Amino acid sequence: EDILLERRRTEDRSVDLFSQCETFEEFKATSERLFLQFKLEENGGNVKRTAEQLQMQRSNMYKKIDKYGLRS
């Protein structure tokens, strides 16, 4: 039950983020950021593993991490 509540909270936050998008480009960037953030968390923050899973070059993954501020 806790998992379902957490998922609902996540969905609500996502809807809030998407409602702030005024253009399709903003929507795509928001979607990409959320997707990459989820995948990084799923892989314990391991960039190499995440890039491999997404069939993406690691250097490209690092560029996106910088672009979206996914790592402090």
Side-chain angles (χ1 to χ4, degrees), residues 1-3 10-13 20 24-25 27 34-36 41 51 54 67 69 71:
E1 190 171 312
D2 290 337
I3 293 171
T10 301
E11 289 171 358
D12 289 345
R13 284 191 302 261
Q20 296 173 13
F24 187 60
E25 290 301 316
F27 169 79
L34 290 172
F35 177 74
L36 293 174
E41 289 173 4
L54 299 177
K67 176 180 179 179
R71 196 176 260 190

Side-chain angles (χ1 to χ4, degrees), residues 1-43:
E1 190 171 312
D2 290 337
I3 293 171
L4 293 176
L5 289 174
E6 182 59 34
R7 183 174 180 191
R8 180 67 186 157
R9 278 189 231 118
T10 301
E11 289 171 358
D12 289 345
R13 284 191 302 261
S14 298
V15 170
D16 289 344
L17 287 171
F18 291 130
S19 67
Q20 296 173 13
C21 298
E22 294 186 15
T23 66
F24 187 60
E25 290 301 316
E26 289 176 358
F27 169 79
K28 289 192 303 185
T30 300
S31 297
E32 184 175 51
R33 182 177 57 82
L34 290 172
F35 177 74
L36 293 174
Q37 182 178 7
F38 174 78
K39 289 299 183 181
L40 280 165
E41 289 173 4
E42 187 177 71
N43 285 292

